[in-house]
Amino acid sequence: GLPGATASLPGRVGGVSELERLLVVQDHDLSLDRLRHRRETLPARTDLATARAGIAALAPGLADARARRDAVARDARRLDDEVSAVRAKAADADRTLYSGSVTAVKELQALQAEVEQLGARQRELEDRELELMEAQEGLDAEVAGLEAEEAVLRDAETAAAAALAEAEAEVDAEIAVEVAARADAATGIPDGLLATYEQIRARAHGVGVARLVGGTCQGCRLSIPATEVDRIHRGVPGESRCDNCGAILVP
C-alpha cells in the first residue's frame, strides 16, 4: 500500500472520538452525582438523625430528674439515720426510766420528759421521712418514664444505624462500579481536555460537555444563534463552548 495509508486522519483521535468518550465519562459522572446524592439523603440517615436528636433533647430533662431523685434519696437516707439515732436514744432513756436505778423524783421526771421529747422528735422525723419517700416515688416514676422514652429512642438509633450501614454498602457498591466504568471511559482522553471538562462541570452544576443538536445545547436546553452553530460545525472539535452554560459542545 501507499506509505502512510493506515495512519489516522489528523485530529481524528484527538477530536470527535475523544469528545464522544467524554460524553460517556459525563454519563458516568452524572450517575455518580445521583448515587452520592442518594447516599447523603438515605431515609435511614434521616431516621438516625431524628433518633439522635430525640436522645439529645431528652438528656437534660432526664439528667435533671435523676439529680432531683438522688437529692431526695440522700435526704431520706439522712433522715432515716437520724430517726434510728433518736429511736435508740429514746429506748436507752426509757430503759433507764424503768430500770429502778433512778429513784429521785426530779431525775425520774427529767427522764420522762426526755423520753417524751425524743418520741415527739422521732415522730416529726418519721413524718418528714414519709414525705420524702412519697416524693421519691414520684421522682422514680418520672425517671422511669424518661428512661423508657430514651430506651425506645436508643432502639430506634440502633436500628437506623444498622439500616444506614446496609443501605450505604449497597450504594457504595454501585458507586464502585460507576467509578470503574468512568475510569475505563476516560482512558485515552488527554489530561488537559479532562481537566477543562471537570472545571466546566464544577461551575455548571454537573454538565461539562453537551451535544449540539440542531441549534440547541443539550446541556442547558437553550438555543444557539445559527451563525454560531455554523462556526461550531466548521471549527476544531473540542474548542467550541456553549455561550449559555459554558459546556464543551459536541456537534
Side-chain angles (χ1 to χ4, degrees):
L2 294 173
T6 59
S8 299
L9 291 173
R12 176 68 182 176
V13 173
V16 176
S17 64
E18 288 173 356
L19 292 178
E20 291 291 341
R21 288 204 296 275
L22 194 59
L23 283 167
V24 176
V25 167
Q26 179 165 264
D27 286 342
H28 291 300
D29 280 336
L30 292 173
S31 292
L32 284 167
D33 289 343
R34 289 190 292 271
L35 285 168
R36 286 166 181 147
H37 176 72
R38 193 174 111 204
R39 192 182 193 279
E40 289 305 310
T41 57
L42 287 167
R45 194 180 303 283
T46 302
D47 294 342
L48 181 59
T50 300
R52 287 176 173 168
I55 292 168
L58 193 66
L62 180 54
D64 177 67
R66 284 171 173 162
R68 286 185 283 115
R69 178 199 62 186
D70 293 346
V72 168
R74 285 193 299 273
D75 288 343
R77 286 193 299 271
R78 179 180 56 78
L79 275 177
D80 188 59
D81 292 341
E82 196 172 346
V83 166
S84 297
V86 170
R87 185 183 292 120
K89 193 172 181 181
D92 287 342
D94 194 60
R95 281 194 299 272
T96 302
L97 179 63
Y98 293 105
S99 67
S101 60
V102 178
T103 56
V105 174
K106 285 186 178 181
E107 290 184 27
L108 289 170
Q109 288 175 339
L111 277 170
Q112 181 66 44
E114 183 181 2
V115 168
E116 290 174 358
Q117 287 173 355
L118 289 169
R121 176 63 175 161
Q122 180 181 332
R123 288 190 294 275
E124 178 189 349
L125 292 171
E126 287 174 342
D127 287 344
R128 286 171 57 191
E129 185 180 16
L130 182 61
E131 290 175 3
L132 286 173
M133 289 172 67
E134 290 173 350
Q136 187 173 351
E137 285 180 6
L139 288 167
D140 284 339
E142 181 181 350
V143 169
L146 291 171
E147 286 177 341
E149 287 183 48
E150 184 187 43
V152 170
L153 289 168
R154 292 287 183 194
D155 288 344
E157 179 188 28
T158 300
L164 178 60
E166 182 178 352
E168 282 181 338
E170 291 177 2
V171 178
D172 287 344
E174 294 182 52
I175 288 175
V177 170
E178 282 294 336
V179 167
R182 196 259 192 207
D184 184 61
T187 301
I189 299 176
D191 291 342
L193 180 59
L194 269 177
T196 299
Y197 154 75
E198 286 167 359
Q199 288 169 2
I200 296 170
R201 206 175 93 82
R203 291 197 302 268
H205 307 293
V207 177
V209 60
R211 283 202 182 278
L212 177 63
V213 178
T216 302
C217 167
Q218 298 303 299
C220 60
R221 304 290 177 177
L222 295 177
S223 296
I224 294 173
T227 54
E228 179 65 13
V229 171
D230 182 60
R231 187 189 66 76
I232 290 169
H233 280 284
R234 288 186 289 103
V236 177
E239 290 188 356
S240 300
R241 305 283 184 274
C242 174
D243 289 338
N244 300 304
C245 66
I248 297 169
L249 291 173
V250 184

